[in-house]
Amino acid sequence: MPPNRMLIFSPAAFQLSGHQQSYLTGLGEALGRLGVDVHVLGLRGRGSYPAPIVSHAVGKDTAVESRSAYRERLGPLGDVVWGTGRLTHQVHLLNELRRVHHHLGGPPLLFEGFEYLSLAAYVAQARRTHRQACIFHDTNFNLRHASPVAAAYKLLARPFARHILRSMDRAFVHAPGMRENLFENVDPERRYTHKVEVIPYGAPHPEKVPRLDRAEARAALGIGTRRKALLAFGTLRADKCFRLVLGALARSPEWELLVAGPEGDVSFRQLQTLCEQAGVQQRVRMFPGFVPLGEHPRYFGAADAVLNLYEEHIRHESGTAQLARSFLRPVIAGGPPDLHAYVRETGAGWPVSPLSVDRLTAVLDEAARLDEAGRAAMERRIHAAAVARSWDAVASRVLTALSG
């Protein structure tokens, strides 16, 4: 029998940063349409969720500074302080999880986001009769990270991730390459292949979101340009190849770049410096801060294409690439193999391979020359991909996995 109640554990659920707001809203509402009473547990912040999702925000308001703010104030030690705070907060939240889970009658648990050490300790101690699953949004458990501290942590987290995998009834990843990378890093003997399932990274159905045409969206953002607009959306991070992007922008005078989202391990001040070095500061428009769901139509509507470039060693999915299809916007994707595969299989944009200034410049030129017939055909392909990968499709798979 499918469960009629589910508790989703997500420490950053109520924080105005990262992917959690859009991810949990989409998944929670889709599960609700399937008759599930959805509860979300996270650290208290400024975010909220629409009914019928039931929120459990615990602790004090834990709106935290970005990792870049810690680095600017403390140097390399900033990563250690930021990470230590993250671990401490999640230990407290896992203690609260026991109480809330018991109060709700012990429903199935979905760990949407987590810190590896604290969750491994929790599942080692917790006796259970309920089913539980987790989502590995990132399977990059090696030393190839922008920060030495992050690299050391992810490498040391391998045995803890293995214990989490062993303790779950099902683990989800969002692409086949991520699944293979998870096995290579934390389960090389492949004992748990039967537990790991690939599910789409959901996004709203195109017919269920408000969309603005380009003129209306640009007017709402105060943009008067007639140039093509490229959107870089989401948390600013070092693995998003901004130096390469700005180098290609310098060679592509027909394009402007819109950057919207909160700071991560890169600050807007650092990005501004890179723009000045590339000589493109007049063609880069920055919108700092978390972008609420209700404002998404402005940014995606204003864009001609959405940028999804990451360092080639990255093994996570791009939520922005998935969100773009809700607004029928093509993506310019490069880096992780799964992103290339997504573009090839769906025809929803252009691949950037090899990942270089020359190749990105060529792609921008091709995208700028797309005529009306080509644009219409592109939108049809994006629409088909959006329907197949909607939140309803994801929710049904999650519900099946958590059914006893």
Side-chain angles (χ1 to χ4, degrees):
M1 288 288 292
N4 58 12
R5 176 174 288 177
M6 187 182 300
L7 177 58
I8 302 177
F9 176 89
S10 181
F14 302 100
Q15 305 302 309
L16 298 183
S17 61
H19 71 270
Q20 279 79 10
Q21 283 280 298
S22 60
Y23 193 96
L24 293 174
T25 298
L27 178 60
E29 290 182 335
L31 286 167
R33 289 190 289 272
L34 293 174
V36 180
D37 179 23
V38 178
H39 294 250
V40 173
L41 173 70
L43 295 165
R44 190 176 306 279
R46 299 174 187 173
S48 61
Y49 290 90
I53 299 171
V54 181
S55 297
H56 299 267
V58 303
K60 298 179 180 179
D61 189 332
T62 55
V64 297
E65 291 180 286
S66 67
R67 195 184 305 193
S68 64
Y70 277 95
R71 286 180 177 176
E72 289 185 358
R73 190 170 69 252
L74 301 174
L77 184 61
D79 275 350
V80 177
V81 175
W82 180 86
T84 301
R86 182 171 180 264
L87 173 59
T88 302
H89 286 143
Q90 294 198 28
V91 168
H92 170 70
L93 183 61
L94 285 163
N95 289 332
E96 289 293 311
L97 173 62
R98 290 185 175 89
R99 179 185 62 80
V100 174
H101 189 243
H102 177 75
H103 174 74
L104 293 175
L109 264 171
L110 175 64
F111 294 95
E112 185 274 333
F114 47 87
E115 186 278 324
Y116 302 100
L117 279 66
S118 57
L119 181 58
Y122 176 85
V123 296
Q125 299 169 7
R127 300 175 64 181
R128 67 183 178 98
T129 57
H130 59 276
R131 290 182 66 80
Q132 60 187 20
C134 71
I135 302 174
F136 284 97
H137 287 291
D138 183 351
T139 63
N140 193 9
F141 293 91
N142 53 46
L143 289 172
R144 291 174 294 180
H145 294 263
S147 159
V149 173
Y153 168 78
K154 289 302 290 286
L155 185 62
L156 292 172
R158 284 180 173 183
F160 300 97
R162 185 180 306 116
H163 182 75
I164 292 168
L165 180 58
R166 182 168 61 245
S167 303
M168 295 293 141
D169 294 296
R170 190 66 52 87
F172 299 111
V173 294
H174 289 308
M178 293 178 67
R179 185 176 189 269
E180 288 304 307
N181 203 61
L182 181 66
F183 294 142
E184 290 174 9
N185 281 282
V186 306
D187 184 25
E189 295 180 355
R190 297 185 176 247
R191 296 176 178 176
Y192 308 113
T193 56
H194 62 288
K195 291 189 175 187
V196 183
E197 180 178 348
V198 177
I199 59 173
Y201 191 117
H205 193 290
E207 308 309 323
K208 295 181 180 180
V209 297
R211 296 202 301 272
L212 302 178
D213 64 31
R214 284 173 182 79
E216 187 178 3
R218 292 184 181 189
L221 293 176
I223 298 173
T225 183
R226 294 186 177 180
R227 290 190 179 98
K228 299 288 183 180
L230 185 65
L231 175 64
F233 189 84
T235 304
L236 269 63
R237 296 205 313 268
D239 59 21
K240 290 188 174 181
C241 304
F242 282 113
R243 194 179 296 276
L244 184 153
V245 170
L246 297 174
L249 186 66
R251 300 184 186 182
S252 308
E254 67 274 33
W255 286 91
E256 290 197 4
L257 175 65
L258 315 180
V259 183
E263 295 182 336
D265 59 357
V266 172
S267 68
F268 275 93
R269 184 167 62 179
Q270 291 171 317
L271 183 59
Q272 180 63 40
T273 298
L274 292 178
C275 291
E276 293 169 358
Q277 292 172 352
V280 294
Q281 62 270 34
Q282 300 303 317
R283 289 190 286 125
V284 178
R285 299 172 186 264
M286 300 184 187
F287 300 87
F290 178 78
V291 181
L293 290 173
E295 296 181 16
H296 287 185
R298 299 181 184 181
Y299 293 93
F300 286 91
D304 294 280
V306 178
L307 190 67
N308 294 109
L309 296 187
Y310 298 89
E311 298 288 349
E312 292 181 327
H313 62 79
I314 293 301
R315 294 297 181 270
H316 62 62
E317 188 58 279
S318 169
T320 300
Q322 320 309 318
L323 191 57
R325 62 176 178 256
S326 296
F327 299 95
L328 303 182
R329 290 297 183 259
V331 297
I332 295 176
D338 287 318
L339 267 180
H340 287 293
Y342 167 70
V343 173
R344 286 196 305 271
E345 292 169 5
T346 64
W350 297 270
V352 180
S353 181
L355 196 60
S356 67
V357 171
D358 287 344
R359 175 57 186 158
L360 178 55
T361 302
V363 167
L364 289 176
D365 180 62
E366 181 181 348
R369 291 186 286 103
L370 191 67
D371 59 19
E372 287 300 321
R375 189 161 24 252
M378 178 79 74
E379 288 189 358
R380 288 193 295 271
R381 294 194 296 270
I382 297 170
H383 190 281
V387 172
R389 294 166 171 80
S390 69
W391 280 121
D392 289 329
V394 176
S396 64
R397 300 271 294 277
V398 171
L399 187 59
T400 298
L402 286 173
S403 297

